[in-house]
Amino acid sequence: MPSPIEIYILGSGSAIPTLQRKHPAVALRYEGECLLFDCGECTQLGLQKAGISPMKIKRIFITHWHADHFAGLLPLIETLHMLGRKKALYIYGPEARRFVDYILELSYLSFGFKIKAKDVSIEEKERIVNEKKYYVYSFPVRHSVPCVAYIFQEKAHWKMNPQKLTELKIPREKIRKLKARKKINLNGKEIRLAEVAEKIEGRKIIYSGDTLPVKELFEEAKNAVLIHEATFKYKRDTGFYHSSIEEVCELAKKYGVRKLILMHFSRRYKKHASLEKFAKRLFESIIVAKDGMKIVV
Amino acid sequence: MPSPIEIYILGSGSAIPTLQRKHPAVALRYEGECLLFDCGECTQLGLQKAGISPMKIKRIFITHWHADHFAGLLPLIETLHMLGRKKALYIYGPEARRFVDYILELSYLSFGFKIKAKDVSIEEKERIVNEKKYYVYSFPVRHSVPCVAYIFQEKAHWKMNPQKLTELKIPREKIRKLKARKKINLNGKEIRLAEVAEKIEGRKIIYSGDTLPVKELFEEAKNAVLIHEATFKYKRDTGFYHSSIEEVCELAKKYGVRKLILMHFSRRYKKHASLEKFAKRLFESIIVAKDGMKIVV
């Protein structure tokens, strides 16, 4: 069984938060680690409600520097400092270094841990994290200011077939070598990994903050879980900067998104149930996010 | 009847917020206007819960620039912008101009209203607002960084005695002149305001953010409402930067504070009722603040 990937919707609202929908923030838990995508106001309270220690967060991915997507960063950093953090914190985003510098100018504290801001490309997809079991990529989208989406890509792994291993009499100590080199020589006979194991493709979760619908992002989201903004219900309302449920559902259907999670709703939509009803008619495999929701992939 | 002064405790916690106690922020409503004292993370949600429109806020008073006292400022400003604000917003604090400049560097927006940052003295009491019906003063206190308390002082007013006015046959149109000049001449006879009216002293509300107990502030708080931090219960825990319930109650008693409102409690105190019990034994006229509390003076 692969480890679960847990997605926590800490805030599902947009620029003006409401009591029901706070500023955007999404936590992803995987193998004991926590990745945070956007960090609007009240993110640390969202983490508390979800029972996630902020100390588990190693990396924060900011889609763009509008306050609703980062206003919780400085208070979160100060909390980490007061909790005695020692491990470095990585913050990604377009122009991350410039903005993180300004944020740190707002503090008298000299923090007990390193804060490493990393600029990401707004021109092309970029691999920004290469961990043992996953990658993270940034992916340019289209908003009123430099803005990216992020792709969490679990690495593929091989699931060994014990029956085949026995049949071919492969000793236990050779298995690691076989996994690493994809083939080994055993008593003069070449054995390929694919003969004794099945390749399991990794799961893919995409988080997009504010954006117009970008076709290339939906191509990227084929068979993936896509967390996407849908500030408005109708295409006619989106203007130049945002997406609507109508548009996102249409593209999700067209490009074969496995599971669509919508968030970043305008405060004009007061009834969750009616948003949900509207969205479910347009795309079947959909979740209309709520603050405090947990989704296991 | 004088207009009520309403005090709203938007956040009663300290540096690390909890689900029960958010970062410090206190709103004061008086004659249709709203003054905000400190503006920690989630302040705009506190305003929503209290049913106060942020558009009513003309002035924000920051005691000092630790994130728990100002992290809600940028998202509040962005909300005001999106709500179409036109009226100027005044932000006071020690080094307010420097910090507000940095905060505004964090925004791509050019706001539709003026933001006027005003530095206040950390050396001496300073009158910083002179409105028709009240003054606001800043008052230096002692914390690890430049820090002040704020004093809201309602102006004294004269309550006319209708019986006396009739007795002395003072025509209605002379009353304004009498109020302004304190005396008038009527048919060759001098009439003093004090003969026909009673002087009502204005109410005084003091808000102090983080500080060691400062004797001079308690002298200032004689017969006043004092909102004071009490990060800890016991004097032995206060260190160099904060106050305890023990110390604040002792001084409030000694200097004749009319009503003491305590807040900014450490997250170590999980039970409100036990804090309240502890405090009430030390000083009678006390309110142990909770998020969402409203106090009418």
Side-chain angles (χ1 to χ4, degrees):
Chain A
M1 276 293 287
S3 310
I5 299 174
E6 297 170 339
I7 297 167
Y8 293 84
I9 309 296
L10 307 178
S12 63
S14 54
I16 302 183
T18 68
L19 298 178
Q20 287 71 44
R21 297 194 189 276
K22 293 185 192 59
H23 277 168
V26 169
L28 188 155
R29 270 221 292 205
Y30 178 63
E31 301 247 327
E33 217 187 282
C34 180
L35 288 70
L36 184 62
F37 297 93
D38 280 335
C39 184
E41 192 175 18
C42 301
T43 293
Q44 60 177 326
L45 289 172
L47 288 167
Q48 281 184 32
K49 279 186 192 161
I52 300 172
S53 164
M55 297 292 260
K56 294 280 183 198
I57 298 170
K58 185 171 168 187
R59 306 175 193 278
I60 301 178
F61 303 90
I62 303 292
T63 56
H64 65 297
W65 298 92
H66 276 154
D68 52 326
H69 293 257
F70 77 87
L73 206 47
L74 178 61
L76 180 64
I77 289 171
E78 298 224 339
T79 291
L80 292 176
H81 171 76
M82 280 174 289
L83 293 174
R85 179 161 181 132
K86 296 282 171 255
K87 279 199 305 186
L89 178 71
Y90 295 81
I91 302 173
Y92 301 82
E95 304 182 78
R97 282 181 298 176
R98 176 160 83 88
F99 278 89
V100 170
D101 275 356
Y102 279 123
I103 289 172
L104 298 183
E105 284 291 346
L106 282 171
S107 182
Y108 290 102
L109 294 172
S110 96
F111 297 110
F113 59 99
K114 286 225 161 56
I115 296 172
K116 298 187 176 178
K118 308 271 188 189
D119 291 352
V120 306
S121 173
I122 54 164
E123 301 293 334
E124 56 189 6
K125 179 176 173 181
E126 185 188 1
R127 191 163 90 189
I128 54 176
V129 174
N130 180 0
E131 284 278 4
K132 194 173 163 224
K133 295 206 169 180
Y134 65 87
Y135 302 110
V136 180
Y137 301 84
S138 59
F139 194 98
V141 294
R142 281 199 287 279
H143 190 45
S144 56
V145 300
C147 189
V148 298
Y150 291 101
I151 302 167
F152 170 90
Q153 173 68 66
E154 190 185 24
K155 292 181 181 179
H157 68 277
W158 292 88
K159 190 181 171 196
M160 305 309 282
N161 181 333
Q163 206 183 324
K164 285 277 185 188
L165 293 175
T166 314
E167 264 175 38
L168 295 171
K169 297 196 180 88
I170 302 174
R172 190 175 286 271
E173 65 273 16
K174 295 273 182 182
I175 294 176
R176 177 179 287 186
K177 202 173 165 187
L178 176 59
K179 275 184 175 171
R181 300 192 183 171
K182 304 287 185 289
K183 60 184 179 184
I184 49 167
N185 237 301
L186 195 69
N187 308 325
K189 197 187 153 199
E190 186 185 271
I191 295 172
R192 284 172 305 108
L193 180 58
E195 288 175 60
V196 298
E198 183 194 359
K199 189 177 181 181
I200 310 284
E201 290 300 335
R203 289 159 288 180
K204 193 191 232 183
I205 320 279
I206 303 180
Y207 171 79
S208 181
D210 298 5
T211 186
L212 278 173
V214 172
K215 178 176 77 75
E216 293 76 10
L217 186 68
F218 285 83
E219 286 172 353
E220 190 64 51
K222 186 177 161 67
N223 293 325
V225 174
L226 175 61
I227 306 164
H228 202 284
E229 75 124 297
T231 310
F232 304 104
K233 273 166 97 167
Y234 305 104
K235 185 173 176 175
R236 61 171 188 259
D237 294 328
T238 51
F240 298 114
Y241 307 132
H242 289 289
S243 300
S244 62
I245 298 179
E246 278 185 343
E247 292 161 295
V248 175
C249 287
E250 190 186 321
L251 287 164
K253 199 183 269 181
K254 182 170 175 188
Y255 289 97
V257 169
R258 182 157 73 81
K259 172 76 78 184
L260 181 62
I261 302 171
L262 297 181
M263 56 179 277
H264 197 273
F265 303 110
S266 159
R267 69 185 179 128
R268 71 173 72 167
Y269 305 113
K270 304 211 185 306
K271 290 193 177 153
H272 181 83
S274 90
L275 267 189
E276 204 164 41
K277 198 173 158 196
F278 179 82
K280 285 199 168 169
R281 273 204 300 254
L282 299 177
F283 189 66
E284 204 177 309
S285 182
I286 206 165
I287 292 173
V288 175
K290 262 190 199 189
D291 288 19
M293 196 179 247
K294 176 181 169 181
I295 300 144
V296 181
V297 178
Chain B
M1 276 291 289
S3 310
I5 300 174
E6 297 171 337
I7 297 167
Y8 293 84
I9 309 295
L10 307 178
S12 63
S14 55
I16 302 183
T18 67
L19 297 178
Q20 288 71 43
R21 296 194 190 277
K22 292 186 192 59
H23 278 168
V26 169
L28 189 154
R29 270 220 292 206
Y30 178 63
E31 301 247 328
E33 217 186 283
C34 181
L35 289 70
L36 184 62
F37 297 93
D38 281 336
C39 185
E41 192 175 18
C42 300
T43 293
Q44 59 177 327
L45 289 172
L47 289 166
Q48 281 185 31
K49 279 186 193 164
I52 300 172
S53 164
M55 297 293 262
K56 294 280 183 199
I57 298 170
K58 184 171 169 187
R59 305 176 194 277
I60 302 177
F61 303 89
I62 303 291
T63 56
H64 66 297
W65 299 92
H66 276 154
D68 52 327
H69 293 257
F70 77 87
L73 205 46
L74 178 61
L76 180 65
I77 289 171
E78 298 223 340
T79 291
L80 292 175
H81 172 76
M82 280 173 291
L83 293 174
R85 180 163 181 129
K86 296 281 171 257
K87 279 199 304 187
L89 178 70
Y90 296 81
I91 302 173
Y92 301 82
E95 303 181 80
R97 283 182 298 176
R98 177 161 83 87
F99 277 89
V100 170
D101 275 355
Y102 279 123
I103 289 171
L104 298 182
E105 285 290 347
L106 283 170
S107 182
Y108 291 102
L109 295 172
S110 94
F111 297 111
F113 59 100
K114 287 227 161 55
I115 296 173
K116 298 188 177 179
K118 307 272 187 188
D119 291 352
V120 306
S121 172
I122 53 166
E123 302 292 335
E124 54 189 7
K125 180 176 172 181
E126 186 188 359
R127 191 163 89 190
I128 53 177
V129 175
N130 181 0
E131 284 279 4
K132 194 174 162 222
K133 295 207 169 179
Y134 65 87
Y135 303 111
V136 180
Y137 301 85
S138 59
F139 195 97
V141 293
R142 280 197 289 280
H143 191 46
S144 57
V145 300
C147 189
V148 298
Y150 291 100
I151 302 166
F152 170 91
Q153 173 68 66
E154 190 185 26
K155 292 181 180 179
H157 69 275
W158 292 88
K159 191 181 169 194
M160 306 309 282
N161 182 333
Q163 206 183 323
K164 287 276 185 190
L165 293 175
T166 314
E167 265 175 37
L168 296 171
K169 297 196 179 89
I170 301 175
R172 192 175 285 271
E173 64 275 15
K174 296 272 182 184
I175 294 177
R176 178 180 286 185
K177 202 173 167 186
L178 177 58
K179 275 184 176 172
R181 301 193 182 172
K182 305 286 185 288
K183 57 183 180 185
I184 49 167
N185 239 300
L186 196 67
N187 309 324
K189 198 187 153 202
E190 185 184 273
I191 294 172
R192 285 172 305 109
L193 180 58
E195 289 174 60
V196 296
E198 183 193 359
K199 188 177 182 183
I200 310 285
E201 291 299 334
R203 290 159 289 180
K204 193 192 232 184
I205 320 279
I206 303 179
Y207 171 79
S208 179
D210 298 5
T211 186
L212 278 172
V214 171
K215 178 176 77 75
E216 293 76 9
L217 186 69
F218 285 84
E219 286 172 355
E220 190 65 51
K222 187 177 161 68
N223 292 326
V225 175
L226 174 62
I227 307 165
H228 202 284
E229 76 124 299
T231 310
F232 304 104
K233 273 167 99 166
Y234 304 104
K235 186 174 176 175
R236 62 170 187 260
D237 294 328
T238 51
F240 298 113
Y241 307 132
H242 289 290
S243 299
S244 63
I245 297 179
E246 277 185 344
E247 292 161 295
V248 175
C249 286
E250 191 186 320
L251 287 163
K253 198 182 270 180
K254 182 170 175 187
Y255 289 97
V257 170
R258 183 159 72 81
K259 173 75 80 184
L260 181 61
I261 302 172
L262 297 180
M263 55 179 277
H264 197 274
F265 302 111
S266 160
R267 69 184 179 128
R268 71 173 72 167
Y269 306 113
K270 305 212 185 306
K271 291 192 176 152
H272 181 82
S274 90
L275 266 189
E276 205 164 41
K277 197 174 159 194
F278 179 82
K280 285 198 165 167
R281 273 204 301 253
L282 299 176
F283 189 66
E284 204 176 309
S285 182
I286 205 165
I287 291 173
V288 175
K290 264 191 200 188
D291 288 18
M293 196 178 247
K294 176 181 168 182
I295 300 144
V296 181
V297 178

